[in-house]
Structure formats: structure tokens, C-alpha cells
Amino acid sequence: MAVKRKMGWLGVPLIQTYRGFGTEEEVYIRGRVIEDHGILQPKPHDSKWKNLLSMFKRYASSGLPGVKIKVAFYSQVKETVSDDDGYFEVYFQPGTHINHRKRWHEVVFELPNISSNGISSHCVKGEVLIPRENCHYGIISDIDDTFLVSYSTDVLRKIRLMAIKNAHTRLPFDGVTAFYNALHRGKTGRSHNPLFYVSSSEWHIYDLLKDFCKVQNIPRGIFLLRDMEHSIFKFWKAGQGNHDHKLEKIRMIFDVYDGLKFFLIGDSGQRDVEIYSQIAEEFPDRIQAVYIRDVSSRRRYDEVLHYAHKLDRLGIDLELVKDTEAAARHALQHNYISKIAFEEVMADKKHNLELPSDIEELLHIGEWD
């Protein structure tokens, strides 16, 4: 970055908008000013080389520091400046001025000192989630190997997926789309329970994750990811390292939505169980249930059972499941979702069992079964 700045090689600024969230009392909005490297919208038949180039561009894009940004939310306008890595954040106190018929609200970002195509400023729109009163609980989910096939414990397969696949060609686990929609709609089928995707993946792949959820019809939610702390040439370590930021972000969600209960969904491959156990000890009355997809060894299985016993003493179910059906069945038995929604999970799972074109994914598609 320092060399680029000195040589005058920094590219055209582009605002990357992240979905904000909050309540009538306070709204939190974050974004990043980066170099525009021209990453195009992915297509189902993009070549492996095109996907590889797009992934390289994501991790090579430099955040631009010291850029002034104006953020407008309803009638309020605030100014801020991007930090050393290009990130910025603002808070609003909207009060009762918001449109209460909406859950998603428009926010406008502006780079007032940037000229583009003869226009004196660069503007983009984003969105902010303010859940309505008809939500009964929230859902906090990990991403890698929880709903997105990532092979986080297998470095070679992980690199392959990251490098040559895109939002259209990455795979979800069987039944995930219907299950997340079932939790989103709740037992009445008419709720709009908020979803938060908290992951150790970096903000650099935000667009890929957002597009993936849209392609797979996974409910629109808030992404809370991690700032990259290492070289772009170590992108294969994405999602690894210290996971304490997940604790901090989950605590933030619990604080913002004080009184709301949450489902916690993750996998046994990394530290989701330890993190969720810590959250359960801090907020024992706020956990609806914990669903952990079993992807690991016998030793890890025994460790997960240890935490399951700890949570059981707090009156919290930790379900270690092999597939989405098992999690959905537990949710149905406890009246968290409707019978119709459970049947949709079963139908979605059956549909997803169609043979994929990629032989390596064929060999691993049954990891939930």
C-alpha cells in the first residue's frame, strides 16, 4: 500500500457497502473504500481462470485510507474518514422517523471529493436491517462448512474451491436453503426472524458470500466477517487464525437485540462449539438451541459431547447433527418451525442429492449423511 501510494498507483476509489443493522434507538453501518479492480458479476459458466482472477482481485484490492465519506440515513447525514485499511463505520439514532412497514431500509454512501463521469461525487446505496416486532428469535450462523461446503479442514480442497469456483458453482449442504428459510419464517410461517452470518472469513469475499446466498435463496442476512491480517499470498489461510472476533461480534448482536433469543448454528471443524458454549454461559436465558454439524474426528466428537453436557446443565440443547434433516427434526419437535417447513427441508434435501458435475464434490456430497 505504501509503495502504491508513493508511486501514484492507487486505483479509482470504490465504496464497498456492507449491510447495516440495529434498532430504532441505534443503527450500526460499516463499509470499506477500496480500489476498483473491476470484479464482474459471476455467471454459472465462468471459466476456472476467470474465477481465479476474480479471487486474486478480491484479495489484492487495497483499502484506501483517509478518504472522506458521507453517509445518509433518512434525514440524518454523517461524515467519516476511512481508516488505514479503508474501513469506516458510523452510528445513527433514527428514532421514530423510520418507515415501520419496512425491515430493510435504504442508506446512501457518498464520496464527495471524487469525480466520476463528470459527476462531482460518487454515490452508492446500501441497506440496513431493523427487525420488526413480529420476530420471535434470531439466528446466528457460521458460514464455512456450516451451510457452505468449504472443506476447512482439508487445505488442498479448500484452495481449489476458493480459487476456481464462484457464487454460482459453490455448493450448499443438502436442505440448508429450506431449513434457514424455515427458521427465518418461524413456526407461524409469517415471521421475519433476523439472520446473522458470523464468520472468520475475511471481508474480501463479502461479495462472493452475498451473491452465493442470493443464488441459493438463503435468506438475506447480516454478514459480520474478519479484517484480513496477513498477506494476500496466504489467502488459503482464510477463515483460520484467532476466532475471538466471533465472540465479540456475537456479544454485540446480543447487546443490540437485548431480550431476543437466538439459535446458534455452526460446525465441529473449528471453534464454534467453544465460542457458542462461552456465549451460552454469558447469556444462558437467551439461547433457543445450538446446532452443530459433525465434520470431525472421534476425538473432536468427544470434545463436542463435553460441551453438550455443559450446556445441558444450563438447560440448553446442543444438537450434534450429521445432516440438516436432524436439525430440522429437532426444530419441528420443539415447535420452532412448522410441519410444512419441515417437509420443505426434506424436499430440498432430496433435490440437492442430484449428482453434481464435479467428481470431487460427488465423493464428498454425502458428508452430512
Side-chain angles (χ1 to χ4, degrees):
M1 168 63 78
V3 173
K4 283 185 176 183
R5 187 185 299 112
K6 185 175 181 180
M7 300 298 293
W9 291 345
L10 286 176
V12 176
L14 173 73
I15 299 177
Q16 187 175 49
T17 64
Y18 306 140
R19 292 172 184 153
F21 66 98
T23 64
E24 289 185 8
E25 287 73 33
E26 188 168 52
V27 162
Y28 169 72
I29 298 171
R30 194 171 200 252
R32 192 180 189 212
V33 182
I34 62 174
E35 293 179 280
D36 185 0
H37 281 311
I39 298 176
L40 302 177
Q41 280 294 110
K43 295 181 176 61
H45 302 295
D46 283 347
S47 70
K48 295 178 179 179
W49 288 110
K50 185 174 181 180
N51 293 333
L52 179 62
L53 179 60
S54 292
M55 183 58 70
F56 178 80
K57 286 180 176 180
R58 287 187 184 96
Y59 279 93
S61 293
S62 298
L64 303 181
V67 178
K68 182 183 292 185
I69 307 103
K70 292 175 68 174
V71 186
F73 187 64
Y74 284 96
S75 60
Q76 300 180 36
V77 179
K78 293 194 174 183
E79 289 192 357
T80 187
V81 176
S82 60
D83 67 15
D84 290 344
D85 293 314
Y87 295 101
F88 63 89
E89 57 186 37
V90 292
Y91 291 85
F92 287 93
Q93 292 77 38
T96 58
H97 302 294
I98 66 171
N99 185 339
H100 291 87
R101 294 188 299 273
K102 292 183 176 181
R103 292 176 298 112
W104 292 96
H105 305 259
E106 183 179 279
V107 57
V108 178
F109 302 85
E110 179 182 0
L111 298 179
N113 298 327
I114 302 301
S115 177
S116 177
N117 297 325
I119 302 174
S120 61
S121 62
H122 169 63
C123 291
V124 293
K125 294 179 180 179
E127 50 191 357
V128 173
L129 173 65
I130 300 180
R132 295 169 62 183
E133 294 181 355
N134 68 336
C135 66
H136 297 96
Y137 51 74
I139 303 100
I140 295 174
S141 174
D142 181 42
I143 296 176
D144 291 323
D145 289 327
T146 297
F147 67 76
L148 172 65
V149 176
S150 302
Y151 306 133
S152 294
T153 58
D154 188 326
V155 173
L156 292 179
R157 283 197 174 88
K158 177 180 177 179
I159 293 174
R160 178 181 180 278
L161 285 180
M162 289 185 65
I164 62 175
K165 299 285 186 176
N166 65 29
H168 289 273
T169 51
R170 294 290 296 267
L171 293 176
F173 287 102
D174 303 328
V176 159
T177 293
F179 182 51
Y180 278 55
N181 275 286
L183 292 176
H184 176 56
R185 297 194 304 265
K187 60 183 179 182
T188 66
R190 295 186 297 273
S191 297
H192 295 281
N193 301 314
L195 287 102
F196 299 87
Y197 303 118
V198 182
S199 172
S200 291
S201 293
E202 288 86 359
W203 286 107
H204 292 68
I205 61 170
Y206 173 80
D207 67 307
L208 184 149
L209 297 175
K210 185 178 69 170
D211 290 342
F212 173 83
C213 288
K214 183 177 181 180
V215 168
Q216 297 297 334
N217 197 31
I218 294 172
R220 181 167 42 157
I222 303 301
F223 290 90
L224 295 171
L225 309 178
R226 183 168 66 94
D227 296 351
M228 190 168 72
E229 300 173 355
H230 44 71
S231 165
I232 64 169
F233 299 106
K234 297 181 180 179
F235 77 94
W236 55 273
K237 288 189 175 181
Q240 299 181 13
N242 192 313
H243 296 269
D244 288 346
H245 84 99
K246 295 177 72 171
L247 267 174
E248 297 170 2
K249 289 178 171 65
I250 295 173
R251 287 172 180 144
M252 178 183 181
I253 296 168
F254 273 68
D255 288 342
V256 169
Y257 301 105
D258 187 25
L260 190 65
K261 290 190 174 184
F262 286 88
F263 286 94
L264 305 178
I265 307 176
D267 66 87
S268 63
Q270 296 182 321
R271 293 190 58 235
D272 289 342
V273 176
E274 288 83 349
I275 291 169
Y276 292 167
S277 179
Q278 178 65 38
I279 291 295
E281 290 180 0
E282 296 177 15
F283 305 93
D285 299 326
R286 304 275 306 278
I287 309 298
Q288 198 87 323
V290 179
Y291 296 128
I292 298 294
R293 195 176 71 83
D294 184 16
V295 298
S296 50
S297 65
R298 177 67 197 185
R299 177 180 176 182
R300 181 58 174 162
Y301 178 86
D302 293 338
E303 291 175 350
V304 174
L305 288 185
H306 166 73
Y307 285 101
H309 293 320
K310 287 182 63 175
L311 295 190
D312 184 61
R313 290 193 290 271
L314 294 173
I316 299 170
D317 287 344
L318 187 158
E319 294 294 310
L320 182 61
V321 299
K322 284 292 184 183
D323 58 21
T324 312
E325 177 186 343
R329 193 174 297 279
H330 177 273
L332 175 65
Q333 291 170 348
H334 289 77
N335 202 30
Y336 299 143
I337 64 175
S338 68
K339 189 173 188 301
I340 293 176
F342 176 76
E343 292 171 351
E344 290 174 350
V345 172
M346 297 298 294
D348 186 30
K349 179 182 177 182
K350 181 179 179 180
H351 172 74
N352 286 341
L353 285 175
E354 295 179 1
L355 294 179
S357 59
D358 188 320
I359 188 62
E360 286 194 30
E361 288 169 0
L362 173 61
L363 295 174
H364 291 268
I365 195 69
E367 283 190 344
W368 273 55
D369 295 326

